Amino acid sequence: MQDLGRGFKVPLPERFRPKSLDEYVGQEHLLGPEGPLGLLIRTNSIRSCILYGPPGVGKTTLVRLMGSATGRELLEINAVTSKLSDLRALADRAVSLMSMGFDPPIAFVDEIYHFNSQQQNVLLPFVESGQMVLVGTTTENPWFEINKTLLSRMLVYQMKPLEDSHVLLVLERALEDEERGLGRLGLSATREALGAIASSASGDLRQALLRLEAVASGVAAMGGSSIREEHVVAFAGSSFRRYDRSGDQHYHLISAFIKSVRGSDPDGAVYWLARMLESGEDPRFIARRICILAAEDVGLADPMGLVLAEAAASAFDRVGLPEGDMILAEAAIYLAAAPKSNRAYEAIRSARKAVEAGDLMEVPDNLIPGSPNYVYPHGDPRGWVPASYLPEPRRFYRPTDLGTEARIKERLRRLWRRFGEER
């Protein structure tokens, strides 16, 4: 039997990290020919930034490649294990390098959201003065987790889950590579087996490589020479989820489910729900989609839809499968049978589009905290007083005449002239 441990003490995802940007796979929107981050790296013009994205999409690898591609020294710490003294030592090293005439180093803070405000503030003056290029990685939304003062001095690049085609390409390379991969095991793999690993990893390359290594080791231990689908099921662990070979089934089934609920067909909704559960889809993914459906497609035509959807998601977490399927079914049937309105969805999309386009109005004087011009609505018997809540008129929400939203629309017509203009 082959010595499987020799040379494999470091897990495959770590030892198979790309050594150059040419080996890097995915994130074309950032690193492609017209990608903003790729252009800055290639011209050694990188700026302090946050790489925000889910696990296993290549954030850490990309930061390390920034250092090698630009020739800058990389000062790396992890926010989970580092202390305030470590941060100060990092800053001192950056200042020292600058004083010796080197380019500002890249200060890489992995999982930067774990630092509190005080720790983040230590880096602020060095980022502002340009004595370091701070690059932080985070799986959490930086707009909520990062100190706003620090964030205002940084760019934010959002990284996407990898496509199955990206993951499949790396798996094929890893299986053949004899220096850093699994090539010394002398194994081949069917396209279906690698496709199953790729699609089950949900865009997480680290997970895909871990599963490939486990499956390859298992097959080699058995004296086999080829990895097949049944080996993936046997060795990839309980987190493996079966999809069709092309990977399209995941998207086709959830699309059919969403459109059945939106189209008010409870039979279609419960059938596609059953298909997803039987195919091994993550039921929590389904529960999240049900919550989104409640807000996006049922909306204020039946506000109880979102309440029931959230209750179903919480109840499923408590019950799990197999009994939890009836909880998801109840929510799906209710939403399918409910009146529909997407006007809340359209309202927030319209408002955000206006803000993104530069429609940045100042807060009216009467709404500023402590303003003597603010009129308290509860002081009026009607619970409402005429007042201005935007400095200029805007219209984002346009209610329908369906379900509960019809009553909302009628009340708004009585209160605000702009809601009566559609008559």
Side-chain angles (χ1 to χ4, degrees):
M1 182 181 295
Q2 191 169 1
D3 183 357
L4 303 178
R6 184 175 299 163
F8 295 139
K9 294 180 180 179
V10 178
L12 179 62
E14 183 63 31
R15 69 177 189 268
F16 203 65
R17 289 185 187 274
K19 292 185 176 180
S20 69
L21 282 174
D22 291 336
E23 292 184 18
Y24 193 89
V25 174
Q27 312 307 328
E28 288 88 354
H29 65 295
L30 297 177
L31 301 173
E34 299 180 0
L37 187 53
L39 180 62
L40 293 176
I41 294 172
R42 289 190 291 272
T43 59
N44 195 11
S45 304
I46 56 175
R47 299 291 185 267
S48 292
C49 61
I50 296 290
L51 301 183
Y52 163 45
V57 298
K59 298 187 295 296
T60 297
T61 296
L62 181 54
V63 181
R64 292 173 179 171
L65 291 177
M66 284 183 189
S68 60
T70 61
R72 297 173 186 248
E73 182 161 338
L74 184 67
L75 310 176
E76 182 174 344
I77 59 174
N78 188 295
V80 176
T81 57
S82 298
K83 302 176 182 177
L84 200 57
S85 58
D86 298 318
L87 274 177
R88 293 196 172 108
L90 180 146
D92 289 343
R93 174 62 178 165
V95 172
S96 175
L97 288 168
M98 283 285 289
S99 68
M100 290 186 285
F102 292 101
D103 285 338
I106 297 174
F108 171 29
V109 182
D110 197 13
E111 300 297 348
I112 190 171
Y113 69 94
H114 282 289
F115 277 153
N116 59 36
S117 293
Q118 180 187 6
Q119 291 170 310
Q120 293 179 31
N121 282 337
V122 169
L123 301 171
L124 183 61
F126 303 97
V127 173
E128 192 165 33
S129 66
Q131 292 175 300
M132 68 169 63
V133 176
L134 175 62
V135 181
T137 60
T138 176
T139 56
E140 302 297 323
N141 192 325
W143 304 108
F144 296 115
E145 301 295 338
I146 308 300
N147 184 314
K148 298 299 184 291
T149 308
L150 181 61
L151 195 61
S152 71
R153 291 158 174 82
M154 305 179 74
L155 303 171
V156 176
Y157 296 110
Q158 186 162 3
M159 301 181 69
K160 301 176 181 179
L162 298 180
E163 300 290 338
D164 284 358
S165 58
H166 295 141
V167 178
L168 188 60
L169 176 61
V170 177
L171 294 179
E172 291 171 342
R173 290 178 181 175
L175 195 60
E176 296 173 358
D177 190 293
E178 295 187 1
E179 180 185 354
R180 295 181 293 138
L182 301 169
R184 280 175 287 170
L185 295 179
L187 298 175
S188 62
T190 66
R191 187 78 175 177
E192 292 79 10
L194 293 183
I197 295 174
S199 62
S200 69
S202 301
D204 185 332
L205 184 56
R206 183 186 296 109
Q207 271 292 308
L209 288 170
L210 284 172
R211 293 177 190 183
L212 175 64
E213 187 167 40
V215 174
S217 298
V219 172
M222 294 167 52
S225 60
S226 178
I227 298 172
R228 299 188 300 275
E229 273 192 285
E230 57 264 32
H231 298 135
V232 176
V233 175
F235 295 112
S238 59
S239 58
F240 172 77
R241 297 188 297 272
R242 186 184 300 276
Y243 291 91
D244 70 60
R245 294 175 181 177
S246 69
D248 289 337
Q249 185 181 24
H250 165 77
Y251 300 103
H252 290 177
L253 293 183
I254 192 61
S255 175
F257 174 72
I258 290 169
K259 289 169 182 173
S260 296
V261 173
R262 182 181 294 146
S264 299
D265 184 348
D267 293 319
V270 79
Y271 172 77
W272 296 119
L273 172 62
R275 280 287 302 275
M276 286 190 289
L277 292 172
E278 286 300 315
S279 73
E281 181 59 85
D282 183 354
R284 289 177 176 81
F285 166 76
I286 301 173
R288 289 194 297 272
R289 290 304 319 179
I290 287 174
C291 289
I292 295 169
L293 275 166
E296 179 178 351
D297 292 297
V298 175
L300 292 171
D302 185 353
M304 279 301 298
L306 183 56
V307 176
L308 188 141
E310 172 59 26
S314 177
F316 181 86
D317 272 342
R318 183 175 302 173
V319 174
L321 290 176
E323 293 88 348
D325 62 351
M326 69 184 81
I327 297 172
L328 298 178
E330 181 178 333
I333 292 169
Y334 183 94
L335 296 180
K340 304 296 188 295
S341 170
N342 72 340
R343 299 304 174 84
Y345 165 82
E346 290 185 348
I348 187 60
R349 291 294 173 270
S350 178
R352 293 191 68 168
K353 185 177 180 180
V355 172
E356 290 170 0
D359 188 1
L360 305 176
M361 296 183 283
E362 295 293 329
V363 176
D365 176 71
N366 62 304
L367 302 184
I368 293 174
S371 171
N373 298 323
Y374 175 65
V375 181
Y376 189 54
H378 296 295
D380 189 285
R382 300 169 294 176
W384 174 85
V385 291
S388 295
Y389 295 95
L390 288 173
E392 299 174 15
R394 295 288 188 277
R395 185 71 187 278
F396 301 115
Y397 176 50
R398 301 178 182 276
T400 68
D401 293 315
L402 301 172
T404 301
E405 196 162 42
R407 297 196 297 272
I408 294 173
K409 182 176 183 178
E410 188 56 37
R411 181 171 187 272
L412 291 174
R413 279 176 172 169
R414 294 196 303 269
L415 299 180
W416 303 106
R417 182 181 302 168
R418 63 184 182 276
F419 284 94
E421 292 172 353
E422 297 172 357
R423 284 186 181 275

